[in-house]
Amino acid sequence: MLRDVLIQKGLSNREAEVAELVSKGLSNKEVANQLFVTEKTVKFHLTNIYKKMNVKSRAQLIVWCLPHLGFVETEVRAESNNQSATTAQAYNNNQTQTIPAGSATVAGATTLPGGGMNRNGNSDIGMGGI
């Protein structure tokens, strides 16, 4: 898809390949390794691409290419999101709500087993029950 658009814009097949790989976030070295060429060759292609596409930088090239890359990925993401929502809904429908066991809080004070207040209003926990 993107490659066809780039070729229509006047890029050669190889330049379109380089632009597509750069748009996917690959570095010059990674593009060179994938296409079995040198980094210098990738830089040469990028210079030609910039001139033909009337862009000044790698970032501008990527921004130009993104809408053309996004069609397939957007459909896949939308489909993935629908599946996730369906799975979450099914999970929620099968869940039973439980209240976790723990200490009860009344008026901001926590009542612990065996604990109580002595005459001074202090807890006797930690004092050996004195």
Side-chain angles (χ1 to χ4, degrees):
M1 173 93 183
L2 173 61
R3 195 171 299 175
D4 297 333
V5 174
L6 293 170
I7 290 170
Q8 288 175 355
K9 291 290 278 183
L11 272 61
S12 69
N13 285 332
R14 192 55 141 188
E15 290 167 345
E17 282 180 301
V18 170
E20 188 173 31
L21 292 172
V22 165
S23 298
K24 291 180 179 179
L26 274 65
S27 67
N28 288 353
K29 186 175 184 176
E30 292 169 326
V31 172
N33 288 338
Q34 191 156 345
L35 298 179
F36 304 104
V37 297
T38 65
E39 282 185 72
K40 187 174 180 178
T41 301
V42 171
K43 290 177 184 179
F44 175 78
H45 286 311
L46 282 172
T47 301
N48 291 335
I49 292 166
Y50 296 160
K51 288 177 186 175
K52 291 179 181 181
M53 298 294 296
N54 197 26
V55 296
K56 296 178 184 173
S57 67
R58 182 185 206 93
Q60 285 183 345
L61 174 64
I62 292 170
V63 168
W64 189 95
C65 292
L66 278 178
H68 303 286
L69 277 176
F71 289 123
V72 174
E73 293 174 9
T74 302
E75 289 175 12
V76 170
R77 269 191 232 121
E79 187 175 307
S80 170
N81 288 343
N82 287 341
Q83 288 176 351
S84 295
T86 303
T87 303
Q89 185 177 9
Y91 177 79
N92 289 335
N93 288 341
N94 292 331
Q95 284 293 313
T96 58
Q97 292 185 341
T98 59
I99 299 172
S103 59
T105 303
V106 178
T110 303
T111 305
L112 299 172
M117 298 290 199
N118 62 19
R119 291 183 199 161
N120 298 335
N122 295 325
S123 173
D124 60 359
I125 294 176
M127 297 179 61
I130 299 175

